[in-house]
């Protein structure tokens, strides 16, 4: 049975929706610098949420939302490497949280959704140990400021996606291909997660703290032993090093063994493993866009190519990890979005069941949604029946998992409004509310917004079940 306090909501991230990149004392993040230096479409103005947050929260309330998942921008809060706090930035999130509470909306707060202050990137960013201390200090400021108003905290959004894209694929800042640094950044992020959970407990914070993971439930092309071995390696690569580490306090030992054969793991200290073991999270935030369909690795070099832009995107993805596995992107029985993301709602059902059986902690689906090219400027309201169908199928999968015993306590659609998609700019639209970026960021609720209102207000009974 679905919980009567189930959190129906939508989600955003600071860099992707706020804009106001140089307002209110905010210092540059690594995304500002990387996009500006490379002349790429940026989020300087994003969806102008920095100025329009009241309107956005009003729309959430009118749309029946019970919760809003957003992130705090570290570069608005701590503005230099001396740890100086920026009162204007602190006040901005008090305003957002207060506005949510005034409107009966539960704030669901992420501490890090990728906008690392550039002054920390200049010191080596996530690949260096010092960042763990800086992160913990930043988290403490947030806990102290907002702790009596916020019940749900997440330490990180999608460590895997951030680290692999930045340090291995190289399509996100810092834009390099360096496996040793990928391993270091992954480890330090998970260590920072544990240390922050420790501080959360020491400070006797009310509420709960979790981590948000880019969940790719693993499926195999067949039942052969080779495929099963590839699936285990893929599960380590995609999921286990985040979820096992954060929830069970254990980094998968077979994965460490494989990495240890080729890379230097001596930077991982005994005390770090101890900290990871002793400080586990309260809940799992799972972002679900698609499963990963896996076949055995059959030779050749590693290739990691995903999330290409515009017309080059479709059919261009390839993920081969040498000696580990290959991901299938051209399954003839599947449909894919314009950006090569498979549409596979059953994967969400199986993914929830597996995660709940394995970890036994409450689950929130912290992101789920679909992007389309949409003509917001020329439409009064976009009639996005494709999105409605997609969302209905995915929520149905969640309700089936709940019926089968999984503890799922909330669901957040990505995204609240159209916003800046990392590297894909503004044309990749996910919002329930359209944003006319050319016309004063005018908000235009789409058909899906009105449909979701019925879902929220009926606590899910408006979903067509199968
Ligand atoms: C997740 C991120 C979000 C968001 C979403 C859609 O990985 O947490 O920040 O961007 O994916 O991704 P994209 O914008 O690349 O389509």
């Amino acid at each position: 049975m679905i919980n009567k306090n189930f959190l129906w909501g939508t989600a955003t991230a600071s860099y992707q929706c706020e804009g106001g990149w140089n307002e209110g004392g905010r210092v540059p993040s690594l995304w500002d610098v990387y996009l500006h230096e490379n002349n790429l479409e940026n989020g300087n103005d994003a969806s102008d949420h920095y100025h329009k947050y009241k309107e956005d929260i009003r729309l959430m309330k009118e749309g029946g939302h019970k919760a809003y998942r957003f992130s705090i921008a570290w570069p608005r809060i701590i503005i230099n490497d001396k740890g100086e706090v920026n009162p204007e930035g602190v006040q901005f999130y008090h305003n957002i949280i207060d506005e949510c509470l005034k409107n009966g909306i539960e704030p669901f707060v992420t501490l890090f959704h990728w906008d690392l202050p550039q002054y920390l990137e200049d010191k080596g960013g996530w690949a260096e140990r010092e960042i763990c201390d800086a992160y913990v200090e930043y988290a403490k400021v947030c806990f102290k400021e907002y702790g009596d108003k916020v019940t749900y905290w997440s330490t990180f959004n999608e460590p895997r996606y951030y680290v692999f894209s930045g340090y291995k694929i190289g399509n996100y800042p810092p834009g390099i291909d360096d496996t040793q640094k990928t391993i270091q950044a992954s480890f330090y992020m998970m260590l920072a997660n544990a240390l922050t959970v420790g501080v959360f407990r020491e400070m006797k914070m009310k509420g709960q703290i979790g981590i948000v993971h880019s969940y790719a439930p693993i499926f195999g092309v067949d039942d052969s032993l080779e495929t099963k071995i590839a699936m285990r390696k893929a599960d380590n690569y995609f999921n286990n090093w985040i979820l096992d580490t954060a929830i069970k306090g254990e980094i998968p030992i077979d994965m460490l063994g494989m990495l240890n054969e080729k890379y230097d793991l001596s930077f991982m200290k005994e005390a770090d493993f101890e900290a990871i073991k002793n400080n586990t999270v309260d809940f799992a935030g799972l972002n679900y866009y698609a499963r990963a369909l896996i076949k055995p690795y059959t030779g050749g070099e590693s290739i990691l190519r995903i999330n290409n832009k515009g017309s080059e995107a479709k059919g261009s993805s390839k993920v081969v990890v040498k000696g580990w596995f290959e991901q299938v992107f051209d399954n003839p029985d599947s449909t894919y979005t314009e950006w090569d993301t498979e549409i596979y709602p059953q994967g969400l059902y199986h993914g929830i069941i597996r995660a709940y059986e394995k970890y036994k902690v409450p689950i929130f689906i912290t992101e789920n949604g679909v992007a389309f090219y949409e003509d917001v400027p020329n439409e009064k309201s976009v009639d996005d029946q494709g999105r409605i169908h997609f969302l209905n199928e995915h929520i149905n999968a969640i309700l089936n998992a709940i019926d089968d015993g999984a503890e799922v306590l909330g669901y957040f659609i990505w995204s609240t409004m159209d916003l800046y998609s990392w590297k894909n700019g503004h044309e990749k639209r996910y919002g329930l509310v359209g944003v006319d970026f050319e016309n004063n960021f005018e908000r235009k609720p789409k058909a899906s917004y009105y449909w979701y209102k019925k879902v929220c207000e009926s606590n899910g009974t408006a979903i067509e079940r199968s």
Side-chain angles (χ1 to χ4, degrees):
M1 259 277 285
I2 188 164
N3 191 300
K4 70 176 183 353
N5 299 319
F6 191 87
L7 294 181
W8 296 99
T10 54
T12 63
S14 43
Y15 183 75
Q16 295 181 270
C17 74
E18 285 179 5
W21 75 286
N22 56 5
E23 289 180 58
R26 179 186 182 278
V27 296
S29 73
L30 88 168
W31 277 96
D32 297 292
V33 173
Y34 171 84
L35 296 171
H36 292 171
E37 277 180 358
N38 291 293
N39 260 327
L40 294 164
E41 191 174 340
N42 60 53
N44 285 0
D45 302 313
S47 319
D48 202 29
H49 185 63
Y50 188 69
H51 300 109
K52 289 188 184 287
Y53 70 91
K54 284 193 179 165
E55 181 180 352
D56 290 329
I57 294 169
R58 176 176 59 74
L59 282 167
M60 289 175 209
K61 184 192 174 165
E62 289 171 8
H65 294 32
K66 308 280 186 275
Y68 174 37
R69 174 173 178 249
F70 62 92
S71 71
I72 295 177
W74 190 348
R76 285 197 193 282
I77 303 289
I78 312 283
I79 52 175
N80 56 35
D81 60 1
K82 315 265 173 315
E84 189 182 339
V85 175
N86 170 31
E88 226 180 311
V90 169
Q91 187 55 44
F92 176 64
Y93 295 103
H94 274 299
N95 295 347
I96 293 218
I97 293 166
D98 292 346
E99 196 66 20
C100 282
L101 296 174
K102 205 164 81 192
N103 285 286
I105 290 172
E106 188 72 53
F108 200 99
V109 175
T110 309
L111 288 169
F112 183 78
H113 200 129
W114 304 356
D115 40 4
L116 183 72
Q118 179 64 33
Y119 63 80
L120 288 171
E121 183 57 32
D122 291 340
K123 295 175 128 187
W126 282 106
E128 299 301 327
R129 177 173 288 267
E130 292 72 57
I131 196 155
C132 295
D133 300 330
Y135 179 80
V136 169
E137 288 310 310
Y138 156 63
K140 274 188 196 161
V141 172
C142 296
F143 293 156
K144 202 158 82 34
E145 285 293 335
Y146 313 121
D148 55 348
K149 304 178 188 177
V150 171
T151 305
Y152 299 99
W153 295 90
S154 311
T155 51
F156 288 94
N157 179 72
E158 299 195 350
R160 168 176 71 84
Y161 214 93
Y162 179 89
V163 168
F164 276 93
S165 302
Y167 291 90
K168 187 65 206 155
I169 304 173
N171 61 335
Y172 285 7
I176 55 175
D177 173 1
D178 183 326
T179 308
Q180 178 67 31
K181 282 197 173 163
T182 307
I183 299 169
Q184 288 174 207
S186 307
F187 183 77
Y188 290 136
M189 226 179 225
M190 297 315 292
L191 179 59
N193 171 73
L195 296 173
T196 305
V197 171
V199 164
F200 190 81
R201 311 274 183 238
E202 270 163 33
M203 288 173 75
K204 302 216 175 343
M205 304 294 299
K206 74 171 178 106
Q208 303 171 22
I209 189 157
I211 194 164
V212 171
H213 169 54
S214 43
Y215 191 33
I218 304 298
F219 289 74
V221 288
D222 57 38
D223 285 334
S224 67
L225 179 64
E226 291 73 25
T227 300
K228 284 196 192 321
I229 293 170
M231 285 169 70
R232 168 68 195 180
K233 290 176 185 167
D235 211 9
N236 282 341
Y237 171 95
F238 281 105
N239 303 310
N240 298 337
W241 71 267
I242 311 280
L243 295 179
D244 286 14
T245 310
I247 306 175
K248 302 206 301 183
E250 290 165 10
I251 307 176
I253 196 71
D254 55 339
M255 187 190 75
L256 284 181
M258 286 181 73
L259 294 176
N260 197 39
E261 285 167 15
K262 283 173 90 186
Y263 302 99
D264 177 10
L265 306 190
S266 62
F267 67 93
M268 301 180 182
K269 306 292 178 207
E270 218 178 301
D272 303 341
F273 289 109
E274 210 41 31
I276 288 171
K277 180 92 228 157
N278 293 331
N279 299 293
T280 54
V281 293
D282 298 315
F283 65 82
L286 303 178
N287 291 352
Y288 180 81
Y289 290 89
R291 66 169 172 175
L293 182 61
I294 298 301
K295 65 179 183 186
Y297 167 80
T298 49
E301 288 305 305
S302 292
I303 303 176
L304 297 168
R305 196 170 57 231
I306 51 168
N307 204 21
N308 284 334
K309 188 170 157 59
S311 53
E312 297 151 29
K314 202 159 174 79
S316 66
S317 302
K318 198 157 180 70
V319 172
V320 181
V321 179
K322 192 176 172 184
W324 288 39
F325 67 88
E326 177 164 354
Q327 186 178 356
V328 177
F329 284 97
D330 55 358
N331 181 19
D333 301 328
S334 293
T335 41
Y336 295 86
T337 70
E338 292 298 312
W339 292 268
D340 267 355
T341 306
E342 187 184 3
I343 299 182
Y344 197 70
Q346 310 91 294
L348 181 53
Y349 169 80
H350 292 291
I352 291 172
I353 296 287
R354 286 181 203 169
Y356 191 65
E357 276 176 2
K358 185 170 178 193
Y359 300 114
K360 288 278 181 287
V361 291
I363 292 171
F364 292 88
I365 302 303
T366 32
E367 281 179 34
N368 172 236
V370 62
F372 294 110
Y373 293 108
E374 290 166 330
D375 188 8
V376 172
N378 293 313
E379 301 276 343
K380 259 179 91 182
S381 164
V382 173
D383 189 19
D384 53 345
Q385 294 302 322
R387 179 172 292 110
I388 292 175
H389 179 71
F390 176 99
L391 296 172
N392 188 91
E393 297 302 291
H394 285 77
I395 298 174
N396 176 59
I398 297 170
L399 297 178
N400 287 343
I402 293 174
D403 286 348
D404 289 348
E407 191 182 359
V408 185
L409 301 181
Y411 171 76
F412 295 84
I413 293 175
W414 184 268
S415 49
T416 309
M417 75 296 274
D418 292 335
L419 37 68
Y420 172 81
S421 163
W422 311 104
K423 296 297 285 285
N424 277 285
H426 297 82
E427 64 179 8
K428 191 176 185 184
R429 294 176 185 266
Y430 281 92
L432 293 189
V433 174
V435 174
D436 186 345
F437 297 107
E438 267 97 69
N439 185 19
N440 197 27
F441 305 94
E442 193 189 332
R443 271 41 180 172
K444 295 185 180 180
K446 303 176 192 174
S448 57
Y449 167 87
Y450 298 103
W451 170 85
Y452 191 51
K453 176 178 161 71
K454 289 190 210 136
V455 175
C456 299
E457 288 176 351
S458 69
N459 201 22
T461 51
I463 291 294
E464 278 179 36
R465 300 295 301 275
S466 58

